[in-house]
Amino acid sequence: MKENKYDDPDFFDQYRQMDRSVHGLHGAGEWHILQRLLPDFKGKRVLDLGCGFGWHCRYAVEKGAVSVTGIDISEKMLQEAGKINNLPEISYIRMPVEEIDYPENTFDVVISSLTFHYIPSFQSVCEKIQQCLTRGGHFVFSVEHPVYTAQGRQEWIYNGKEEKEHWPVDNYFQEGKREAVFLGKQVIKYHKTLTTYIRTLLLNGFELSDFVEPVPEQNMLDSVAEMKDELRRPMMLIISAIKK
Amino acid sequence: MKENKYDDPDFFDQYRQMDRSVHGLHGAGEWHILQRLLPDFKGKRVLDLGCGFGWHCRYAVEKGAVSVTGIDISEKMLQEAGKINNLPEISYIRMPVEEIDYPENTFDVVISSLTFHYIPSFQSVCEKIQQCLTRGGHFVFSVEHPVYTAQGRQEWIYNGKEEKEHWPVDNYFQEGKREAVFLGKQVIKYHKTLTTYIRTLLLNGFELSDFVEPVPEQNMLDSVAEMKDELRRPMMLIISAIKK
């Protein structure tokens, strides 16, 4: 049974209070980068893997997508998506991302925001996207950075004065399950190396078109003191690839 | 003035005793991966940036290269190369890597082993390689991993029992000079992010063809106890790219 933490009522309550839930895309610190890496959506058929509240689905439609399929395992997430991001071009489907099975040439663009670190195998997801994406189509995704997921706890090392000393990396080449704490709850994530993310794309018929480890926007760095810590270690990566 | 640590007599003495100096390619833990990423050398004109003792130059000739130019800043390294890897197809030139300036179509393959972390700008190196490499030509290089160079000291964090606790990452997005300790001496290195390595290639007309964070071979892992620590954090990355 796939883990479905977002249907845990406490966890969901916490998640819905996050900036990215309340304010949508502009509440997400990496949006200014992800947005730059997204392709032209005009006339495109779009698949969003791990669509959550549907903010990226809405964005694609607003930018001209003719149809958007949003996949998520969580009923609560999709209920909310159906309320706040309900547009006739969007179909929300409840399903684990790993179980998608679309025929060739179903989509022109596949996007996924911060979902693949919940999924054990990037290989199997890549194969399925390769299958349903049209040739020349774009696959753009963000994911937690391997530096962020490697050790597992996802917490800074503090010194005696409660200052952040450095970020710990360990067990980097041991891919697989990690028990992280997110929103006060234990959440299962799956660490993968950078080699796995990049090589799996290359070996499955994708050309890498962009790769960015996002940092907060300058106005965030200037106005929120603790944002400067985000320059001390990478937390996410955003990759854009094209099906050859 | 570019730093030229390898002409410091003490440092050089230390370096020449390393496995990779004494035993050549098979003394280098990452060679089994680098070798797989190298292209066919038959009939090729090859440039080796930071050639050191010339082991990779010799390898290219043995695999069929018609000419190899080995560039290094260190006189002592090139003296040794001239002794132990002196073949008629190889020309060794003493020069900082940043100062190469070859016309279009001079080389079919450019290789570089563990050199670019000594050079401040990857952008300027990439531009020069793009200029002199033929279309469809291969550019393959290894470099210290950004996780390894970020914090600067390049040392594990130990616990009270002198056990390695984890690897520290800090100042990841602050690119530039680091003072590391290597072979008992302070050495200047230049940290760059993964984004810089990959994006600079993509923006300078290269297609990424492979990307590997090497780990030691299984027989090394089985026979040398401390090799297992190499699975705890990435130390190098090896990238292969093709000029479009």
Side-chain angles (χ1 to χ4, degrees), chain A residues 81-94:
Chain A
K83 279 184 220 158
I84 62 178
N85 289 311
N86 185 5
L87 296 173
E89 294 86 350
I90 307 177
S91 313
Y92 292 111
I93 301 177
R94 188 178 174 202

Side-chain angles (χ1 to χ4, degrees), chain A residues 147 157 165-167 169-173 194-195 198-199 207-208 210-211 213 215 231-232 234 244, chain B residues 147 157 165-167 169-173 194-195 199 207-208 210-211 213 215 230-232 234 244:
Chain A
V147 165
I157 300 296
E165 191 107 305
H166 54 253
W167 185 263
V169 167
D170 206 349
N171 304 318
Y172 184 83
F173 290 102
L194 275 157
T195 300
I198 296 176
R199 253 192 142 220
E207 177 177 343
L208 197 78
D210 213 340
F211 176 101
E213 296 156 301
V215 294
L231 301 180
R232 298 178 64 183
K244 281 178 140 179
Chain B
V147 164
I157 299 296
E165 191 104 309
H166 55 254
W167 184 264
V169 168
D170 206 349
N171 304 318
Y172 183 83
F173 289 103
L194 276 156
T195 300
R199 248 186 149 228
E207 177 176 341
L208 197 79
D210 213 340
F211 175 103
E213 296 156 302
V215 294
E230 297 303 314
L231 302 179
R232 299 177 63 182
K244 281 178 141 181

